Amino acid sequence: LKRIFPFLTWECRKVVTARRGGDTVEAFCQHGLLGPALQPFMGATRVDINFEDATITPASPPTRGEMISYAVQIHGASVLTFQHMSGFIKDHVEDELPVTDMVIRLEKIRRPPLQGCWLVREILDVRYAFAGDMGNAHVGG
């Protein structure tokens, strides 16, 4: 978590830590461990990023720079075959590692001192990104 702290926007750090860890690395590490947006990355065996199908959103002056969104597929930690993310033991051992589909959105920063840098603006779990939409009735069980 210490390594990713400088690559997230302040708003993103606040969101993934439930508004408790955006200001300092220490607070981010403390609260980010339990953040649902970051948990799938913890101990992941593989992270696949789909660079070919990235979605580019043009800049919207003067409010923000351009954005780019990537589909990310996270293959969970091997411990998740017999343990829930919460730490509780499952009733049975899974045959396959859990796979989580995410979207990571980057934003090109327009103001100094990071002007021109791309930072992570959002980390979205696809299962919950469109909650209530008719198109994802199969999500969540």
Side-chain angles (χ1 to χ4, degrees), residues 73-94:
Q73 194 170 58
I74 304 162
H75 298 265
S78 56
V79 70
L80 295 177
T81 58
F82 63 87
Q83 177 179 309
H84 293 285
M85 287 179 122
S86 64
F88 288 106
I89 302 299
K90 292 182 178 180
D91 294 335
H92 62 285
V93 176
E94 301 285 336

Side-chain angles (χ1 to χ4, degrees), residues 41 44-52 70-76 99-104:
F41 292 96
T45 56
R46 192 171 86 218
V47 177
D48 297 327
I49 302 173
N50 184 351
F51 292 105
E52 291 80 29
Y70 294 105
V72 177
Q73 194 170 58
I74 304 162
H75 298 265
V99 176
T100 305
D101 292 320
M102 307 280 272
V103 172
I104 294 183

Side-chain angles (χ1 to χ4, degrees), residues 57-67 107-108 110-111 121:
T57 306
S60 180
T63 56
R64 63 163 174 77
E66 59 187 304
M67 294 190 306
E107 179 182 358
K108 191 172 187 179
R110 297 182 68 148
R111 297 188 177 143
R121 176 185 170 104

Side-chain angles (χ1 to χ4, degrees), residues 27-48:
F28 178 74
C29 291
Q30 177 185 359
H31 299 291
L33 283 173
L34 301 175
L38 299 177
Q39 275 190 341
F41 292 96
M42 305 297 176
T45 56
R46 192 171 86 218
V47 177
D48 297 327

